[in-house]
Amino acid sequence: MMRTRPLKVALLGCGVVGSEVARIMTTHADDLAARIGAPVELAGVAVRRPSKVREGIDPVLITTDATALVKRGDIDVVVEVIGGIEPARTLITTAFEHGASVVSANKALLAQDGAALHAAAEANDKDLYYEAAVAGAIPLIRPLRESLAGDKVNRVLGIVNGTTNFILDKMDSTGAGYQEALDEATALGYAEADPTADVEGFDAAAKAAILAGIAFHTRVRLDDVYREGMTEVTAADFASAKEMGCTIKLLAICERAGDGQSVTARVHPAMIPLTHPLASVRGAYNAVFVESDASGQLMFYGPGAGGSPTASAVLGDLVAVCRNRLSGATGPGESAYAALTVSPMGDVVTRYHISLDVADKPGVLAQVATVFAEHGVSIDTVRQQGKDGEASLVVVTHRASDAALTGTVEALRKLDTVRGVASIMRVEGE
């Protein structure tokens, strides 16, 4: 039997995502009520610019006093889509203290202060849900947190930023340079006027921290994630990748060490074989590959950003939280019981593709090979092309630690026959 008294929802932020959340709540009100077991009512919308016309939203609901809204005491759920650290952090904790559960899409805040937010939710016996914080509409956090709760996840490997995937896909498919592909992404609305958060990997790093924490039941903060942007990727890198049967993606990689005692989380460009499922992810789409003991390999794919996809994830959380409110229960909170060590990037073991500019004369290859051997880095393949006294030497290694590779490159730079290191790229997905 449906309860007639509505559950009241406060919306913090009414931009691209917030306005779509409000629209769906209004147009799908009957369906949402049937799924939840009670009507849901938009009780207030906090914004910075109250004079802006917001179609479909009663102007009476608009307020600039977000603090007063979350303190009302009659709010059942606060939906936070304003982003950033403050005032979002204070508003969320205030909402818990005044009786509301929270649905958030704030990846930056969760990556930085997720543990404190979970603690505040638990202290007040309230829910904190955030499916929309990672990979837009793709159901990912809930499967990791609930569906795979009885399994052991060993690796999460994914494309979690649509802007960077669009740019790299254009460079791969058309031969365009980085700036040309970025300009097209900006013109089409896939890239912000300031794309730094995307192209330098900050956005993906925040998502990696969240995913690693859930997958490995360990607190992983943004500062624990190694981050490397994609602005230095060139058309020449794609040419080399194609010669290896690979393409290049900006990947978020979260891994459990072989001994099971530590984990790593990192974001960087990498070559992946064309045979890997992630290689076929095109345009602005996201995809995440999960490897676990019992389930084996799973892949989650779909639109990773945008108003409607992100709002879909928010509404899914809203339904779940509202159901919990009606039953007097709360959903899964933070699971950090494993408390594994988060290892530095130097401990990461993978393959490498190194392109060197060298003198075109006898003995160069032997010198280079000796340096690799001295640092314990085994060479898989070597390709050399020379002309007019200069040459390009491409070395692909077997698996080696990042620390060993760093030492190798430092030694290579000291060789008189090495003119420069044109590029270094990791090879993943094998």
Side-chain angles (χ1 to χ4, degrees), residues 271-322:
M271 294 182 180
I272 58 172
L274 295 175
T275 54
H276 194 282
L278 291 178
S280 62
V281 178
R282 312 302 296 269
Y285 275 72
N286 284 192
V288 178
F289 206 70
V290 178
E291 300 174 8
S292 65
D293 276 1
S295 300
Q297 297 178 332
L298 305 171
M299 182 167 166
F300 301 84
Y301 170 83
S308 293
T310 306
S312 172
V314 169
L315 267 295
D317 278 350
L318 178 63
V319 169
V321 170
C322 286

Side-chain angles (χ1 to χ4, degrees), residues 1-78:
M1 182 175 180
M2 183 177 294
R3 191 182 81 166
T4 56
R5 185 177 71 80
L7 291 160
K8 294 188 177 183
V9 178
L11 180 60
L12 307 183
C14 197
V16 173
V17 176
S19 59
E20 190 65 8
V21 169
R23 185 192 68 78
I24 295 174
M25 285 185 63
T26 302
T27 58
H28 295 181
D30 291 343
D31 284 340
L32 290 173
R35 294 167 191 171
I36 292 169
V40 286
E41 173 189 312
L42 190 59
V45 182
V47 300
R48 287 184 299 175
R49 295 184 293 276
S51 59
K52 181 179 177 180
V53 177
R54 293 173 172 84
E55 187 176 347
I57 298 178
D58 187 342
V60 174
L61 299 178
I62 301 297
T63 179
T64 57
D65 193 344
T67 301
L69 178 60
V70 300
K71 282 184 173 181
R72 275 178 36 172
D74 64 337
I75 300 297
D76 293 288
V77 184
V78 169

Side-chain angles (χ1 to χ4, degrees), residues 97 236 254 308 321 369 413 430:
E97 292 165 359
C254 311
S308 293
V321 170
R413 294 183 192 276
E430 295 185 322

Side-chain angles (χ1 to χ4, degrees), residues 80 134 201 351:
E80 182 272 310
V134 180
R351 297 178 67 205

Side-chain angles (χ1 to χ4, degrees), residues 2 72 85 114 130 138 147 153 245 282 319 344 352-353 360 426:
M2 183 177 294
R72 275 178 36 172
I85 306 302
Y130 44 90
I138 304 172
S147 303
V153 176
R282 312 302 296 269
V319 169
Y352 290 87
H353 176 284
D360 186 16
R426 296 166 185 89

